[in-house]
Amino acid sequence: MLCQHRHSALAVGLVGLSVLTLPVSPTYGQRPALPHQKDADVDPVSRGKVTGGIYDSVTYKPIAGATVSIRVDGIFESGKTVTTTDEAGFYKGEAEIGRTVKRTNAFLAVAGVAAGGVLPGTFSATSRTDVDQLILRVTAPGYKPFVGIVPCRRIYPAIFEVEMESVLLTPQSQPGASIVVPGWGAARFVELRVEPPIALPGQEVEVTMRIACPPPGKDQSGKEHPFKGFVDLEVGKQVELKQRTLEGDGIYAFRGKFKAPKLPRESVLLINQVSGSAIFPFSFSMSDHITNDFLFQVILNEGMRKEATQRAEAYRLYADGDTAGAAARFAALSRSASGLTFDHVMAGRLHNDLRQPAAAVDFFRSAFIKDKNGIFATYYSRALLDSDQPQRVTNECSTLLAGVKKPDELPRTLPSDFLVNLGTAYLRLGQIDKARETLDLLKKHWAPSQVDSIFDAAVRTAEADSRLKDSPQDAPALAERARGLRDQAQWAKAAQAYEAAQLAAPGDPVLLRDLAYTRLHLASGLPNKEELERAITAAESLTITKDGGKDTPVKDFLPWHILGILRYARAEQLRSQGSSELLKAYDDAHEAFDGALRNGRLAPPKRPWNAAGFHVVMAGFGSPDAAVDFDLRQSLLILRERPDDALALTELGKGLLDAGLPSAADAALALALRVVPDAIEPCYLRAVIAGVRQLWDEAISGLRDVVERAPNHSRARLLLAEYLEKNGDKEGAKAQRTAHSQLFRYKAPL
């Protein structure tokens, strides 16, 4: 078991959302609220809706009457943070999830009254959601309780609501722990049919969508939950399937009709992947969406029916998982005189899946030639890069930018990924100036969050390398090269580059700070105390600037983020020494993360609110590092008061893993396991760490332990399958993938 009794140092990589499963203690988290004065700029201070579903892990039936408590400020309190599930297993509670503010312009309001109406701009609102996970406690008679971190499935800042992932409770009589399963839903698509599947313009078409799910039931007020079915057509038309019947075994059929749309003038065939949806309190299992698309075709005349039928058969093979068969059929269609862009793209994608890059290039090229659309150019350029043909990318795809001199002249349909591919091709060819021009175009046309940070860092690294060829001791170039490698997460190379830069510019505070920060990401762990203290002193000086003779905090995210990580590293050293200065170190780290979060948000443009005002909507943060800082800050607030809080320790460990800090993350997870030795999620995360270090026996042993104690731990099963396959156990890997897929399949009767 890879749990608390394993003391080997583990290297870590980035991991996804984590879930901790703990036994419920009668006194757990019942101490008074933390003595923390909330700051509306960085703390979630406004209560929003929190929704989700609770289900039986064996039957998949909803559990009515389960009690769901949402932890706020480290405690499970009473009030609206405690709620119960209705007949559908659906709950709706409240918790601080961000900040929402509504404003009224008094002058415009008075002027509007005088004018006999409401003037534009009278009302405005700002909604900002901060959380991407919450800690829940779920109990129900006859079931094993759940206490743990539950990721948000969807975030709705405009209505100030978060939907949580489903929690599966295990009956007391059954083996295994209760757990949250990301992506799992109580509803599954069983079938989607369109009759006729090939139609003429204006012909009446009937859609039948079959869904397996529990009865929708009534909500807490006694009202029936909404239960409607829809299909969305690619042409932008949504069709409600108004006829609903229960066909037995929990299968509901929705039926509706629409008329086949007319074709655009420039098209000979309209292809729609008709996807079904429904309005009711159940989420769909995410793994079901891909294979339940239906290929609906509109033909101009009967002469086109033969190829349309062949295309439908090819798509059926694709949907059934016969990649080779589908690839051959789409390839044949692509080579025909009347082959469609859709055929070329599907043939290219499928040959990519078959690891036949040369064939994929040919098919994507056909799509690009037929329709010089930015999306097809992206497919084609990516395939060329994967085939190590950067020269063809620059020769054939750069024509899309012909005549473009300003960012606003870029084609609207041109994805940012295309420019990244083009710029990457220039880098591989050593055309650094061209790569820089492409990056500048990208930055001017797209929001910062849409600019590929790895490509940005690669360009800066290449520019620095070019300068160093002529002047190997150029200190600024050495520093820029180190930063570029750091921003590409090439930590070992970055550490070496920073060491070289320090030799050229000894005592430079930026280099002192960044070298220590980089070393924290290596498996070797923390820098020595003296080095860390020098780095913290340097980092502190870089968060202050002189403004009119006064010290003013810098308005930049990165200096505060690095300072927060370095100060946390100091706290970790003090904790390991049992120092009385630990609480002050936590406060110092907390202060730095405050500064990071004040500068780590990214506000989108204003969105319409109503005829009289506007609504500014913000979801999350401007970078993944800022989201990590938020989670670290929240856990430190709790650990300052309760150092043995297992949930906060696991949340801290998960945040440190996301930040790529190996020693600190491992220490936090080890502490969580000391408090609750049979906690499942810390063991899972340590198995992930062992896998990153390629300690396969240790990783496989840990993952086997996790799936034995929590059979529904879907992520552990997939990772175990991957590791078993790497070690030659194909049958074992197949068994784990089968167990994983069964968790997401329809189980009859419900």
Side-chain angles (χ1 to χ4, degrees):
M1 183 186 299
L2 194 85
C3 292
Q4 80 283 1
H5 58 275
R6 294 293 179 97
H7 298 294
S8 58
L10 300 176
V12 303
L14 298 179
V15 297
L17 296 169
S18 304
V19 181
L20 174 68
T21 302
L22 294 171
V24 177
S25 166
T27 60
Y28 186 82
Q30 296 301 319
R31 293 178 65 179
L34 303 179
H36 166 62
Q37 185 66 38
K38 291 199 172 185
D39 185 337
D41 287 336
V42 293
D43 281 303
V45 295
S46 300
R47 287 203 168 183
K49 293 179 181 178
V50 179
T51 64
I54 311 298
Y55 306 95
D56 187 300
S57 67
V58 177
T59 65
Y60 295 174
K61 289 181 179 179
I63 299 174
T67 300
V68 180
S69 301
I70 307 166
R71 193 159 98 144
V72 177
D73 292 337
I75 63 171
F76 293 106
E77 54 186 12
S78 58
K80 292 186 178 181
T81 58
V82 181
T83 184
T84 56
T85 55
D86 59 23
E87 292 179 357
F90 180 78
Y91 64 86
K92 183 185 293 186
E94 291 185 6
E96 283 82 2
I97 62 173
R99 186 188 186 199
T100 184
V101 179
K102 295 181 180 180
R103 304 177 184 86
T104 301
N105 185 309
F107 176 79
L108 291 177
V110 173
V113 171
V118 180
L119 298 180
T122 300
F123 304 108
S124 64
T126 301
S127 295
R128 182 198 81 206
T129 52
D130 297 330
V131 301
D132 61 8
Q133 63 187 29
L134 292 169
I135 293 177
L136 304 184
R137 179 173 65 194
V138 185
T139 58
Y143 289 90
K144 298 176 184 179
F146 168 86
V147 183
I149 303 169
V150 180
C152 296
R153 185 183 181 103
R154 295 184 183 88
I155 298 174
Y156 305 102
I159 59 174
F160 212 54
E161 179 178 323
V162 292
E163 177 190 348
M164 312 307 294
E165 294 284 6
S166 301
V167 174
L168 302 184
L169 296 186
T170 301
Q172 292 283 5
S173 60
Q174 297 292 322
S178 297
I179 200 166
V180 61
V181 184
W184 188 92
R188 281 114 169 103
F189 286 114
V190 175
E191 184 183 33
L192 183 63
R193 295 189 62 81
V194 181
E195 292 292 342
I198 303 168
L200 295 165
Q203 184 175 353
E204 187 173 76
V205 179
E206 182 176 54
V207 182
T208 301
M209 178 173 65
R210 288 184 172 85
I211 295 172
C213 67
K218 297 179 180 179
D219 62 21
Q220 295 287 17
S221 67
K223 295 181 180 179
E224 291 283 345
H225 278 292
F227 195 30
K228 299 179 180 180
F230 298 87
V231 289
D232 297 313
L233 305 181
E234 256 189 312
V235 290
K237 180 181 179 183
Q238 187 178 70
V239 178
E240 181 178 353
L241 310 179
K242 296 184 178 181
Q243 183 183 350
R244 186 187 81 202
T245 56
L246 176 62
E247 297 186 341
D249 286 342
I251 304 242
Y252 291 87
F254 295 84
R255 292 182 176 85
K257 296 180 179 180
F258 67 93
K259 293 198 181 287
K262 294 182 179 180
L263 293 168
R265 285 183 304 171
E266 63 274 14
S267 299
V268 295
L269 186 73
L270 181 67
I271 294 180
N272 293 313
Q273 295 182 41
V274 183
S275 59
S277 61
I279 295 179
F280 57 103
F282 308 120
S283 296
F284 285 97
S285 277
M286 291 184 176
S287 61
D288 287 333
H289 286 283
I290 295 175
T291 57
N292 285 278
D293 287 339
F294 192 94
L295 188 67
F296 171 61
Q297 302 177 67
V298 180
I299 57 176
L300 286 173
N301 53 62
E302 289 298 329
M304 300 171 65
R305 188 173 296 276
K306 181 179 178 181
E307 277 199 355
T309 302
Q310 293 171 347
R311 188 170 294 108
E313 175 60 18
Y315 196 82
R316 185 192 65 78
L317 292 173
Y318 159 70
D320 289 345
D322 184 354
T323 304
R329 299 291 183 93
F330 276 115
L333 287 164
S334 176
R335 295 186 182 107
S336 70
S338 54
L340 305 173
T341 306
F342 178 81
D343 301 328
H344 304 317
V345 171
M346 287 298 297
R349 288 173 53 190
L350 292 165
H351 281 83
N352 254 345
D353 293 343
L354 293 170
R355 299 182 181 178
Q356 298 176 14
V361 164
D362 289 341
F363 291 120
F364 284 133
R365 180 175 184 273
S366 297
F368 177 60
I369 290 173
K370 194 174 186 69
D371 186 347
K372 291 192 180 299
N373 181 292
I375 295 175
F376 304 137
T378 304
Y379 290 150
Y380 182 37
S381 57
R382 184 70 258 169
L384 288 170
L385 288 175
D386 291 342
S387 301
D388 197 23
Q389 300 183 68
Q391 189 70 62
R392 289 184 63 184
V393 176
T394 61
N395 288 347
E396 300 176 39
C397 298
S398 61
T399 56
L400 287 180
L401 301 183
V404 174
K405 297 181 180 179
K406 300 178 181 178
D408 57 7
E409 295 175 348
L410 283 170
R412 291 185 177 181
T413 58
L414 196 67
S416 61
D417 285 348
F418 168 72
L419 287 180
V420 172
N421 292 345
L422 179 61
T424 301
Y426 283 131
L427 282 179
R428 291 190 187 180
L429 295 169
Q431 299 178 25
I432 300 172
D433 290 344
K434 286 284 189 180
R436 166 54 69 180
E437 289 177 12
T438 307
L439 176 61
D440 290 344
L441 200 60
L442 190 66
K443 286 184 172 182
K444 292 175 182 177
H445 190 69
W446 277 274
S449 62
Q450 294 176 289
V451 176
D452 189 292
S453 59
I454 300 298
F455 172 55
D456 185 331
V459 172
R460 290 186 280 114
T461 304
E463 289 173 333
D465 284 336
S466 178
R467 290 164 57 189
L468 290 169
K469 286 180 181 179
D470 298 327
S471 180
Q473 298 304 312
D474 184 334
L478 287 167
E480 186 57 42
R481 180 174 187 272
R483 280 190 289 272
L485 292 168
R486 178 200 68 191
D487 293 345
Q488 294 176 76
Q490 297 183 31
W491 300 111
K493 289 183 178 180
Q496 293 175 353
Y498 274 121
E499 289 168 359
Q502 272 198 331
L503 291 175
D508 186 308
V510 175
L511 298 178
L512 279 172
R513 177 198 69 178
D514 288 0
L515 176 57
Y517 173 76
T518 300
R519 284 178 174 164
L520 284 173
H521 293 78
L522 301 177
S524 55
L526 298 172
N528 62 54
K529 182 178 179 180
E530 292 74 19
E531 179 188 356
L532 183 59
E533 289 303 320
R534 288 197 301 270
I536 290 174
T537 300
E540 289 171 343
S541 71
L542 295 168
T543 59
I544 301 297
T545 185
K546 293 291 185 181
D547 185 6
K550 293 182 179 181
D551 288 347
T552 304
V554 299
K555 295 181 179 180
D556 185 5
F557 165 75
L558 189 61
W560 291 104
H561 165 72
I562 294 178
L563 177 60
I565 295 298
L566 292 174
R567 283 180 171 177
Y568 176 78
R570 173 200 275 164
E572 176 58 27
Q573 285 187 342
L574 294 172
R575 184 204 58 75
S576 65
Q577 299 165 4
S579 173
S580 60
E581 298 179 6
L582 177 61
L583 294 184
K584 182 180 183 305
Y586 277 161
D587 289 343
D588 289 344
H590 177 276
E591 177 191 49
F593 288 136
D594 273 359
L597 293 176
R598 290 180 197 282
N599 298 285
R601 299 192 184 279
L602 182 66
K606 295 174 182 178
R607 298 182 180 181
W609 173 250
N610 53 35
F614 57 84
H615 191 186
V616 177
V617 178
M618 294 176 282
F621 300 91
S623 76
D625 284 335
V628 168
D629 289 352
F630 177 82
D631 291 338
L632 294 176
R633 179 182 178 278
Q634 295 298 100
S635 56
L636 287 177
L637 281 173
I638 298 167
L639 291 171
R640 190 189 187 284
E641 303 299 317
R642 294 198 300 276
D644 61 348
D645 189 299
L647 285 167
L649 285 167
T650 302
E651 190 172 31
L652 176 66
K654 179 258 178 187
L656 293 167
L657 283 169
D658 289 343
L661 303 174
S663 297
D666 186 51
L669 294 170
L671 286 173
L673 286 166
R674 287 182 194 174
V675 178
V676 186
D678 60 348
I680 289 172
E681 200 64 12
C683 291
Y684 165 70
L685 294 175
R686 298 193 79 185
V688 173
I689 293 168
V692 171
R693 292 194 69 199
Q694 299 185 2
L695 301 174
W696 304 120
D697 291 343
E698 198 170 352
I700 289 170
S701 173
L703 291 170
R704 285 193 189 281
D705 173 65
V706 170
V707 299
E708 180 180 344
R709 294 190 290 133
N712 291 326
H713 201 301
S714 60
R715 292 162 299 132
R717 288 200 179 276
L718 279 182
L719 197 58
L720 179 55
E722 179 184 335
Y723 291 171
L724 289 171
E725 196 164 53
K726 284 180 183 294
N727 285 268
D729 186 356
K730 293 185 178 180
E731 288 301 315
K734 181 179 178 181
Q736 292 301 324
R737 289 195 176 97
T738 298
H740 174 270
S741 63
Q742 286 176 345
L743 181 61
F744 290 86
R745 287 177 182 168
Y746 165 59
K747 183 181 290 188
L750 288 169

